[in-house]
Amino acid sequence: MRKSVKKALGIVASGVLSLALVSGCSSSDSSSPSTAAASTSATVTGDITVFAAASLKNTFTELGKEFEAENPGTTVTFSFAGSSDLVAQIIQGAPADVFASADAANMKKATDAGVVAGTPSDFASNTLTIVVPPGNPKGIISFADLAEEGTQLVICAPQVPCGAATKKVEEASGESLKPVSEESSVTDVLNKVTSGQADAGIVYVTDAKSAGDKVETIAFPEAASVVNLYQVAALKDSKNLTTATKFVDLVSGPKGLAVLTNAGFAAP
């Protein structure tokens, strides 16, 4: 009789324990996903400011809109300029969350200054080309033609990525260019040509493509020896590092590459 009572009590206790365990697991499982979702949606929100190379204006503007659509509650503000100007501003304390450079050299300046969070990501590459006004009044057909007397040539300044690349091509080809102006961004070079203030300019392939029929493009083989690698990184002093990192992920991911490729950029 005593054995039967003990056995019955054991069965009841076991059942109660099992129900408690099932109830506990059920409660934990049902709350975890919603908690994780809430945490994710709470962190990827707010404003970020992106400092990006001038040659990225069209593509990054498009990616900014896509990012905001994918992450309701976010706002992306851009500052476009020459990479050298941007990195100088960042090092001096300008408030920014993301830096996208048109070359590895200016990103290295930011990294060496200790303002970059993590490791920069390679996300695109670009090469140079010659642009001239419609009709090509000067009859320019090669890089060597840019050195001809009387040619009103505009290029980027040496400290700007497109200028540094131009200098490398100049040295490799043995030509000595005599530009009438050296600009602080590639878009300024393009504007000089489209406005009729220059006979020719050296810009990126992507800038020439964005100008459409406002310019004629003259490819030159020497450009293949100098390819600019674009890099992007979140910044250490960002007030919204989670959202900044999420934007970097978009740029360096497949969606970013699709937008960039469509604009004429090559893969990194």
Side-chain angles (χ1 to χ4, degrees), residues 207-234:
D207 295 288
K209 183 176 181 178
S210 71
D213 58 8
K214 293 181 180 179
V215 297
E216 289 185 16
T217 302
I218 299 160
F220 57 99
E222 296 91 341
S225 64
V226 182
V227 178
N228 274 25
L229 182 66
Y230 284 59
Q231 295 186 320
V232 63

Side-chain angles (χ1 to χ4, degrees), residues 54-78:
S55 52
L56 294 167
K57 185 173 183 178
N58 292 338
T59 51
F60 267 41
T61 299
E62 181 178 344
L63 287 172
K65 291 177 181 177
E66 184 166 341
F67 183 82
E68 291 173 348
E70 290 182 356
N71 301 279
T74 60
T75 300
V76 184
T77 302
F78 293 101

Side-chain angles (χ1 to χ4, degrees), residues 181-231:
S181 178
E182 294 183 345
E183 304 297 325
S184 60
S185 75
V186 68
T187 51
D188 289 339
V189 174
L190 186 64
N191 289 338
K192 291 277 188 178
V193 177
T194 57
S195 63
Q197 299 178 60
D199 299 321
I202 300 178
V203 300
Y204 292 121
V205 170
T206 52
D207 295 288
K209 183 176 181 178
S210 71
D213 58 8
K214 293 181 180 179
V215 297
E216 289 185 16
T217 302
I218 299 160
F220 57 99
E222 296 91 341
S225 64
V226 182
V227 178
N228 274 25
L229 182 66
Y230 284 59
Q231 295 186 320

Side-chain angles (χ1 to χ4, degrees), residues 30-124:
S30 63
S31 63
S32 294
S34 60
T35 302
S39 175
T40 301
S41 62
T43 52
V44 183
T45 188
D47 303 341
I48 57 170
T49 298
V50 178
F51 277 28
S55 52
L56 294 167
K57 185 173 183 178
N58 292 338
T59 51
F60 267 41
T61 299
E62 181 178 344
L63 287 172
K65 291 177 181 177
E66 184 166 341
F67 183 82
E68 291 173 348
E70 290 182 356
N71 301 279
T74 60
T75 300
V76 184
T77 302
F78 293 101
S79 178
F80 296 106
S83 298
S84 58
D85 288 341
L86 293 174
V87 73
Q89 293 173 35
I90 292 168
I91 292 172
Q92 290 167 11
D97 301 284
V98 175
F99 175 45
S101 175
D103 67 349
N106 278 292
M107 182 60 78
K108 186 176 186 302
K109 290 179 184 177
T111 302
D112 290 346
V115 298
V116 171
T119 304
S121 299
D122 302 339
F123 69 94

Side-chain angles (χ1 to χ4, degrees), residues 46 64 74 117 121 151 153 171 175 179 222 229 239 247 249 253 262:
T74 60
S121 299
T151 299
L153 172 67
E171 292 171 349
E175 299 294 339
E222 296 91 341
L229 182 66
K239 303 301 182 185
F247 182 80
D249 291 343
N262 188 53

Side-chain angles (χ1 to χ4, degrees), residues 106-151:
N106 278 292
M107 182 60 78
K108 186 176 186 302
K109 290 179 184 177
T111 302
D112 290 346
V115 298
V116 171
T119 304
S121 299
D122 302 339
F123 69 94
S125 62
N126 215 347
T127 52
L128 299 174
T129 192
I130 299 168
V131 288
V132 297
N136 191 7
K138 287 289 184 177
I140 295 168
I141 60 172
S142 68
F143 186 80
D145 288 343
L146 299 176
E148 293 290 330
E149 289 293 333
T151 299

